[in-house]
Amino acid sequence: QVHLVESGGGFVQPGGSLRLSCSASGNSLDVFAIGWFRQAPGKEREGVACISRGDAGDGFRHYTDSVKGRFTVSRDRAKNTVYLQMNNLKPEDTGVYYCAGRNNTISGCNLGWYGTWGQGTPVTVSS
């Protein structure tokens, strides 16, 4: 059973950057597609960015429209970590960010596909 842990959240002004990390204990992240999701206060959880399994070899990535060109999801197989680089942050990016794993292929960030979740890390974008 893999245990996912997010880190890197915090407070940042609009236009700033943060890098979130999703690390794992108990298993290799290589066999998991990883999705980044966020939940703003009073709103439903939504998919932000997803990356295919490390052993898939296809480099598939998917981004929700609101973060395209600003967020980048990447995987460091040697460090067993998946990152979400967030640039040009906006107040509407505020929320708790979760990473989640799916032990199968993906074609997007369908929330229901992901069965293993971390505890989340909060991100606040405000002036």
Side-chain angles (χ1 to χ4, degrees):
Q1 182 72 19
V2 68
H3 177 62
L4 302 178
V5 178
E6 305 94 338
S7 62
F11 182 94
V12 64
Q13 292 185 336
S17 297
L18 285 173
R19 187 178 76 163
L20 306 183
S21 299
C22 176
S23 60
S25 61
N27 211 331
S28 169
L29 275 183
D30 240 23
V31 300
F32 290 89
I34 297 295
W36 284 99
F37 298 82
R38 67 186 177 193
Q39 188 163 17
K43 295 188 176 181
E44 294 185 352
R45 195 171 298 188
E46 63 171 344
V48 175
C50 302
I51 187 168
S52 60
R53 292 170 53 139
D55 60 357
D58 60 4
F60 174 84
R61 292 169 174 83
H62 176 82
Y63 299 92
T64 193
D65 286 347
S66 63
V67 307
K68 285 180 180 177
R70 301 188 297 123
F71 290 13
T72 302
V73 60
S74 62
R75 180 188 294 273
D76 187 327
R77 300 176 73 179
K79 295 184 177 180
N80 204 32
T81 301
V82 172
Y83 300 101
L84 182 67
Q85 177 67 43
M86 306 187 295
N87 298 328
N88 190 22
L89 283 160
K90 303 176 180 181
E92 51 263 41
D93 294 317
T94 294
V96 179
Y97 282 69
Y98 301 87
C99 69
R102 170 177 164 87
N103 190 3
N104 209 324
T105 58
I106 60 170
S107 57
C109 299
N110 189 322
L111 187 147
W113 290 351
Y114 294 82
T116 302
W117 291 79
Q119 293 300 305
T121 184
V123 171
T124 303
V125 185
S126 176
S127 55

